[in-house]
Amino acid sequence: MARNRLLFSAPFVGAALVLALVIGLVVGKATSSSGPGGNAGPGKASGLRVDVIVKATDSSFWQSMFAGAQKAGEDLGVEVGRFGPTSETDVNEQVQLVENSISRGVNAIVLAANSETALNKAIDRARDAGIKVITVDGTVTTKTEAFIGTNNLRAGEQAGQRLCKLIGEQGKTSGRVLLENAVAGVQALGDRARGFREGLAANCPQITVWEERFNNNDIATAANQTNDALGAVPDLVGVFAANNMSGNGVARAVKDTGRTANLPVVAFDSDPQENAALADGSIDALVVQNPYFFGYQGVTEAIAVSTGAKVPLSLDPGAVVADQANMNDPAVKDLLNPPTAQASK
C-alpha cells in the first residue's frame, strides 16, 4: 500500500526522532549488553498499556485515528485500547471513559477531548495517578504531557482563502456565506471558524459571514440549516462546513436544491460521503487533516513519555487542500482514504 504511507509537514522531523527513540527502547534488550552495565531485562516499553479515547466512534475520522493507534501498538509491541462515546456531544461519557482508564491502571492515555474544560478534572486525576496524558486534535486548559494536532487557525485560513477564490471564479465580489459548524465550545472547531473568517476577510473583504450555525454533529440538522440559508439569504455566495458531518449535510442540501454548479462549498476532513461529494462537485474543496498520524504518533509519544523520554510539547502535521484536480494524486488519495479501525470490544 500506499495506504499505510503518511503525509507530514516539517514538524515530522521531531516525530521521527520520537519514533526512533521509542523503537530503541523496545529493542533495547537485543542491542544492549547483559553485563553489569547493560540492560539485561526486556525493553522499557514491554508490557505498557495505552488507552486511546476519541471524540466519537461513529465517525470515519476517529476510526482512522484508531487505525493509526492500532498500527503503532503492533509496531511497538504494546497493548492499545480504543474507546470513545458514540456522539461528540456526549462529554459525560468521555469523562467516564477516562475514569475507566484510570481504574484499569493504564500507563498512558491519548485523548481527543470533546471539551476544553470538562475533561480537566479527570485528566488531573489520571496524572496524579502517574498516568501520562497526550492530547490530540484539540487542546484542554489543564496540563498534559504533549499535544498533537493541526493548527486549526491556519487550516481555517486556508479554507477561507480557497472559498474566496472559488467565489471569485463565479464572478462575484460581494455577498454572504454560511458557516456551518458542529459543536460549540470545542477549541479545534472554534479556531477553525476564526481562521476561516480571517482568511475570508483578508482576501474577500466584501464577502461576510451571514451566520455561524451549530448542528451538534448531526448530518440531517446540517442539511436543514443549509436549506434554511438557501431560502433566507438571496445573496448567499458560498458555504464553509467545519467538519465532516457538517460537510455531508451541506453537500446533501446543495445537491437536493440543484445548487451544485453555482454555490461553492469548502469543507473540512474526509470520509466516504465527503469524498463522493468532492467527486460529484457538491463540495468543491476539502481541507484534509491526518487522523491516522494523530493515532500513530499519539501512541508513540505516550510510550516515549512513559519510559522517561522527552517529546515535543506541540506537533502539527499540517493540512492539505484537496479538490477534483488533485484528489487522485497518490499522496492526496491516501489522506482522503486512510485505513480505519473500530473501537475495542
Side-chain angles (χ1 to χ4, degrees), residues 15-293:
L17 293 175
V18 172
L19 177 58
L21 175 59
V22 172
I23 291 174
L25 292 170
V26 173
V27 302
K29 178 181 177 182
T31 58
S32 62
S33 165
S34 60
N39 178 7
K44 289 184 183 180
S46 177
L48 293 184
R49 293 183 297 157
V50 179
D51 275 358
V52 176
I53 302 173
V54 301
K55 293 185 177 182
T57 57
D58 64 350
S59 166
S60 295
F61 184 90
W62 301 114
Q63 290 166 8
S64 177
M65 182 172 156
F66 277 160
Q70 179 176 276
K71 185 65 167 61
E74 293 168 358
D75 287 351
L76 302 174
V78 299
E79 180 183 336
V80 176
R82 305 179 305 279
F83 307 98
T86 55
S87 168
E88 291 195 18
T89 60
D90 197 342
V91 177
N92 289 336
E93 184 179 352
Q94 197 176 48
V95 170
Q96 185 58 55
L97 289 169
V98 175
E99 297 288 357
N100 293 348
S101 296
I102 296 170
S103 297
R104 281 194 297 275
V106 299
N107 300 93
I109 297 170
V110 180
L111 173 66
N114 277 335
S115 166
E116 281 188 272
T117 58
L119 278 293
N120 284 358
K121 290 182 179 178
I123 291 170
D124 292 344
R125 283 192 289 275
R127 297 183 76 244
D128 288 344
I131 298 170
K132 307 299 184 182
V133 179
I134 306 289
T135 52
V136 300
D137 184 64
T139 58
V140 293
T141 55
T142 193
K143 188 174 181 181
T144 63
E145 273 59 48
F147 169 71
I148 303 163
T150 305
N151 182 332
N152 281 285
L153 189 64
R154 173 62 191 133
E157 288 176 357
Q158 290 177 262
Q161 291 163 2
R162 178 55 66 95
L163 189 59
C164 171
K165 181 176 182 289
L166 290 166
I167 293 169
E169 290 171 354
Q170 297 263 332
K172 299 169 185 174
T173 58
S174 64
R176 292 181 287 178
V177 301
L178 169 66
L179 201 174
E180 186 64 33
N181 211 333
V183 182
V186 176
Q187 175 262 330
L189 294 172
D191 283 358
R192 207 171 288 172
R194 182 160 62 94
F196 169 76
R197 291 175 185 269
E198 292 175 359
L200 184 68
N203 296 273
C204 288
Q206 300 304 312
I207 296 172
T208 59
V209 174
W210 169 61
E211 279 188 2
E212 180 176 5
R213 294 284 186 91
F214 293 95
N215 54 59
N216 286 325
N217 217 43
D218 181 74
I219 293 173
T221 302
N224 290 335
Q225 290 175 344
T226 305
N227 275 319
D228 290 346
L230 291 169
V233 188
D235 61 342
L236 191 73
V237 293
V239 181
F240 170 56
N243 76 339
N244 60 324
M245 297 300 191
S246 302
N248 290 328
V250 169
R252 179 188 297 178
V254 169
K255 279 189 279 194
D256 288 349
T257 56
R259 296 292 300 276
T260 297
N262 60 16
L263 186 71
V265 175
V266 174
F268 234 87
D269 299 327
S270 70
D271 63 22
Q273 291 182 64
E274 278 196 312
N275 294 344
L278 185 65
D280 70 26
S282 49
I283 290 177
D284 295 274
L286 291 173
V287 181
V288 187
Q289 303 182 84
N290 197 336
Y292 186 94
F293 175 79

